Amino acid sequence: MAAQKDLCDAIVIGAGIQGCFTAYHLAKHRKKVLLLEQFFLPHSRGSSHGQSRIIRKAYVEDFYTQMMDECYQIWAQLEQEAGTQLHRQTGLLMLGMKENPELKTIQATLSRQRVEHQYLSSEELKQRFPNIRLTRGEVGVLDKSGGVLYADKALRALQDAVRQLGGEVHDGEKVMEIKPGLPVVVKTTSRSYQAKSLIITAGPWTNWLLRLLGIELPLQTLRINVCYWREKVPGSYGGSQAFPCFLGLGQAPRHVYGLPTGEYPGLMKVCYHHGNHADPDERDCPTARSDIQDIQVLCRFVKDHLPGLKPEPAIMEHCMYTNTPDEHFILDRHPKYDNIVIGAGFSGHGFKLSPVVGKILYELSMKLTPSYDLTPFRISRFPGLGKAHL
């Protein structure tokens, strides 16, 4: 195994969207950064692949809505630097019953944070979006800032930007060993590297790496079914019809969400914001019974609310979520080694927030004062992760 003697300022493990934005911020600040990825790029094994993600300011929690302000700015900056469109504004429509507590809280957060939004009664919804069927007199809240992020284009733009800024991206190199210390030593299947700091953004493989460092976080890895549904009349749920992204609250045990047609001609992405436990290395195993139940939830939702779609999925793909118990992220230093930083548990809603997540992980790795209050994201919020686990 060849040894690499050059000392990096930082090594980032995992070239998904969080790792890419972390490396981007490090390289922007002229740090010598190495981004390591176990698979050859591009790949579809983790949580950052595919063509689209929803971007929105609508959240229950004020702190995410506040972070999204800067996220929009950084996304626009990356778009300008790359010379590629990475975002399309469509609006995000949240559907729910008038008394739905989550819908009320989101509306209150948007008002408090002065985000432009609109309340739509059942009658207004019917007039504005006639191809949504309201089965129980649902109402809507429209977050006008909402839209679609072009995920795979964003990843490619970031990886190119890291290289252009002098960073290195090494794919097809799996990390086999981490030796903490100053410097920290990372051994891959190809060679050995040294760095002043290490940032772990390894998605569903996070705990596999953290076990090498004596801890395990309460992370659950889930396999998500990403479903596409055929329009009965092509274009009826498309951007040209000003159809928005949507979030269905309270129609099923978990949210159902959808994006207007665009990725595949004539197909609309409608998914269930939940999945079933899966080992990320065995993601392509046969479909479990619980997977079939999730698809049935979606079939019912599509049949009831989106009458212009055929009520069975035309295409089904997979993606991984890595969830924390409270579905808030982990952005923190390792409890024992303060030059090892962890970004994990993005719980299926991290992509849009990655510009600011990457900035925070950069700040933690360089021992700078974080730009945001990290109380909601600390490891210490989980009981039982004391010294005994180190």
Side-chain angles (χ1 to χ4, degrees):
M1 182 184 283
Q4 185 108 341
K5 291 295 177 202
D6 295 350
L7 183 67
C8 301
D9 289 307
I11 292 172
V12 181
I13 302 177
I17 196 68
Q18 312 298 346
C20 283
F21 257 119
T22 304
Y24 171 79
H25 284 290
L26 283 156
K28 273 239 167 213
H29 290 88
R30 298 169 191 256
K31 303 299 176 191
K32 187 175 180 186
V33 59
L34 169 64
L35 180 58
L36 289 173
E37 171 54 52
Q38 64 174 323
F39 300 113
F40 288 102
L41 295 169
H43 71 83
S44 59
R45 302 295 302 272
S47 310
S48 296
H49 60 280
Q51 294 178 54
S52 63
R53 295 291 186 281
I54 291 176
I55 186 169
R56 60 186 161 107
K57 289 186 180 179
Y59 262 100
V60 166
E61 301 86 0
D62 288 77
F63 56 82
Y64 286 127
T65 302
Q66 288 161 358
M67 288 164 91
M68 280 309 302
D69 259 351
E70 190 178 2
C71 286
Y72 272 92
Q73 291 166 27
I74 299 172
W75 279 118
Q77 181 188 316
L78 178 66
E79 205 166 39
Q80 205 174 5
E81 289 169 4
T84 309
Q85 188 186 359
L86 302 176
H87 161 247
R88 175 163 64 99
Q89 193 169 346
T90 62
L92 171 79
L93 177 66
M94 283 147 292
L95 284 173
M97 300 305 289
K98 195 173 186 175
E99 62 277 7
N100 182 293
E102 194 173 357
L103 191 66
K104 283 177 161 177
T105 309
I106 290 171
Q107 196 180 357
T109 304
L110 291 172
S111 297
R112 235 185 348 264
Q113 299 298 330
R114 295 188 170 84
V115 176
E116 195 186 346
H117 67 285
Q118 190 180 358
Y119 175 84
L120 297 167
S121 68
S122 293
E123 281 310 307
E124 288 168 322
L125 269 177
K126 282 175 196 164
Q127 283 171 3
R128 186 122 171 226
F129 305 111
N131 47 2
I132 297 178
R133 188 191 287 140
L134 306 175
T135 55
R136 297 177 296 159
E138 292 91 340
V139 299
V141 174
L142 186 67
D143 168 4
K144 296 191 176 179
S145 70
V148 178
L149 284 170
Y150 300 132
D152 51 359
K153 284 185 183 174
L155 266 181
R156 210 160 40 242
L158 277 170
Q159 287 156 7
D160 290 346
V162 168
R163 291 186 187 101
Q164 282 162 12
L165 291 162
E168 289 188 41
V169 181
H170 291 194
D171 60 352
E173 283 196 41
K174 186 176 178 176
V175 171
M176 304 307 287
E177 194 181 336
I178 301 169
K179 286 184 183 170
L182 262 174
V184 60
V185 178
V186 176
K187 289 185 178 178
T188 73
T189 41
S190 302
R191 62 195 102 169
S192 190
Y193 303 96
Q194 297 185 359
K196 294 173 192 171
S197 67
L198 172 67
I199 303 109
I200 295 172
T201 51
W205 291 273
T206 297
N207 267 336
W208 188 88
L209 289 168
L210 291 180
R211 281 182 210 115
L212 303 175
L213 296 164
I215 62 166
E216 190 162 350
L217 296 176
L219 298 173
Q220 190 184 25
T221 56
L222 304 174
R223 178 172 81 164
I224 308 299
N225 299 306
V226 181
C227 299
Y228 297 84
W229 310 73
R230 193 169 301 285
E231 293 172 304
K232 291 174 182 173
V233 177
S236 51
Y237 290 95
S240 59
Q241 298 298 310
F243 195 80
C245 297
F246 74 82
L247 200 53
L249 307 176
Q251 273 89 355
R254 296 284 183 136
H255 301 159
V256 173
Y257 66 90
L259 292 82
T261 55
E263 289 184 52
Y264 298 114
L267 296 179
M268 185 181 179
K269 184 176 179 176
V270 181
C271 306
Y272 193 37
H273 186 60
H274 190 58
N276 299 288
H277 181 73
D279 181 320
D281 291 318
E282 295 170 12
R283 197 199 69 176
D284 300 323
C285 287
T287 305
R289 201 173 82 230
S290 42
D291 274 347
I292 294 160
Q293 287 166 347
D294 289 355
I295 304 295
Q296 286 169 346
V297 167
L298 282 173
C299 289
R300 265 196 309 276
F301 181 91
V302 168
K303 192 177 174 191
D304 290 349
H305 295 282
L306 302 166
L309 297 178
K310 292 183 178 172
E312 60 283 319
I315 294 177
M316 199 164 81
E317 297 172 347
H318 293 122
C319 154
M320 295 297 294
Y321 280 9
T322 307
N323 284 23
T324 60
D326 58 11
E327 295 190 3
H328 297 318
F329 312 156
I330 293 168
L331 309 172
D332 206 349
R333 292 193 181 94
H334 187 289
K336 191 174 174 185
Y337 311 113
D338 75 344
N339 65 334
I340 297 178
V341 172
I342 302 159
F346 295 100
S347 304
H349 67 108
F351 200 99
K352 71 186 89 60
L353 284 144
S354 56
V356 161
V357 166
K359 181 182 178 182
I360 290 167
L361 296 174
Y362 149 72
E363 290 168 341
L364 287 172
S365 71
M366 293 294 120
K367 310 270 186 7
L368 304 170
T369 306
S371 302
Y372 293 83
D373 176 12
L374 298 187
T375 307
F377 309 119
R378 292 208 175 105
I379 291 171
S380 58
R381 74 187 190 269
F382 301 116
L385 284 171
K387 293 272 190 276
H389 281 71
L390 300 179

